[in-house]
Amino acid sequence: MAFGTRFIFMLDFYLVINGEAQCQWTDPVGTGYLLCYDKKVYLNHKIYLIEFNDAFEMTAGCHTFNFEFRLSKSLPETITATLGKIEYKIEVFLKAPSLYKKSLPFKIIRNYDWVDFPELSIPVQLGNETRFNGFCCNDGIVSMTVILPQQGFSPGQVVPFTILYVNKSTADVSLTKIELWRKTIYTTPMRTKVDSVRELIKHTQGVKRATTISFNLSFRLPLVLDASNYSYCRLIAIQYVLRVEA
């Protein structure tokens, strides 16, 4: 911090470390609107850089003040979303005697240890059946099962999965569409809103009539993805959903 005059009388000099999540939107209700809003404070800590009982004279020039603060492991990651945000900042206050204030934003980026989330290492298997009804020659059931080796992944990681087709119909399935969707879930005491955005899409082979086939596929997650934060913040949580359609 630099002071340009010969000296300055400092009455108070401290900083506040803040972190909070908030979301807000309006929904039409009848002839009016419902305001949906909520806020949660995750971090609020005050540190005195210099404590003064009386005015303290600071000479002109550049002065450095060191400080440190240990962040909790349970803080949610920084997010900027359409209807809300999770943000952190350091605010510096200098009273000399007028008030000088400067705000410095910073980001929380979590380094996930999957040992802390054993449920995410469990494989998941989901299936669906579709019946074709037609003119005597185009009927039967097509079942599709998608198998993931685990439920948790990191940005930039390759996601392997298996698709198992059992086509007992007389119709060919021409192709399979694979999509990754990001769902941002905003929760307030009034209502919950879900905002869905497709992150990627790809197409692959289908299955011929009266055929059973299994094939392994994979896709790489984007290097930049918002963390789910689901275990740390229910106000703004993000889920990633794999959709497979025939």
Side-chain angles (χ1 to χ4, degrees), residues 106-138:
F106 67 95
K107 291 185 176 182
I108 297 291
I109 301 176
R110 299 192 60 84
N111 183 15
Y112 284 93
D113 187 348
W114 296 115
V115 176
D116 298 331
F117 303 93
E119 69 277 7
L120 297 182
S121 63
I122 300 174
V124 60
Q125 177 174 312
L126 297 174
N128 191 25
E129 288 187 348
T130 300
R131 175 175 289 277
F132 288 93
N133 295 309
F135 296 103
C136 76
C137 61
N138 200 24

Side-chain angles (χ1 to χ4, degrees), residues 86-178:
I86 302 175
E87 65 176 1
Y88 299 89
K89 60 184 176 181
I90 298 174
E91 295 179 307
V92 181
F93 296 87
L94 170 62
K95 190 176 180 182
S98 60
L99 183 64
Y100 169 85
K101 175 183 175 181
K102 186 171 181 63
S103 181
L104 305 170
F106 67 95
K107 291 185 176 182
I108 297 291
I109 301 176
R110 299 192 60 84
N111 183 15
Y112 284 93
D113 187 348
W114 296 115
V115 176
D116 298 331
F117 303 93
E119 69 277 7
L120 297 182
S121 63
I122 300 174
V124 60
Q125 177 174 312
L126 297 174
N128 191 25
E129 288 187 348
T130 300
R131 175 175 289 277
F132 288 93
N133 295 309
F135 296 103
C136 76
C137 61
N138 200 24
D139 56 4
I141 294 176
V142 177
S143 66
M144 177 177 62
T145 302
V146 179
I147 304 170
L148 280 167
Q150 62 194 63
Q151 301 178 48
F153 296 91
S154 301
Q157 186 175 353
V158 174
V159 179
F161 60 99
T162 300
I163 298 178
L164 171 63
Y165 271 119
V166 178
N167 188 351
K168 297 180 180 179
S169 76
T170 55
D172 292 338
V173 177
S174 58
L175 59 84
T176 305
K177 182 170 67 173
I178 302 161

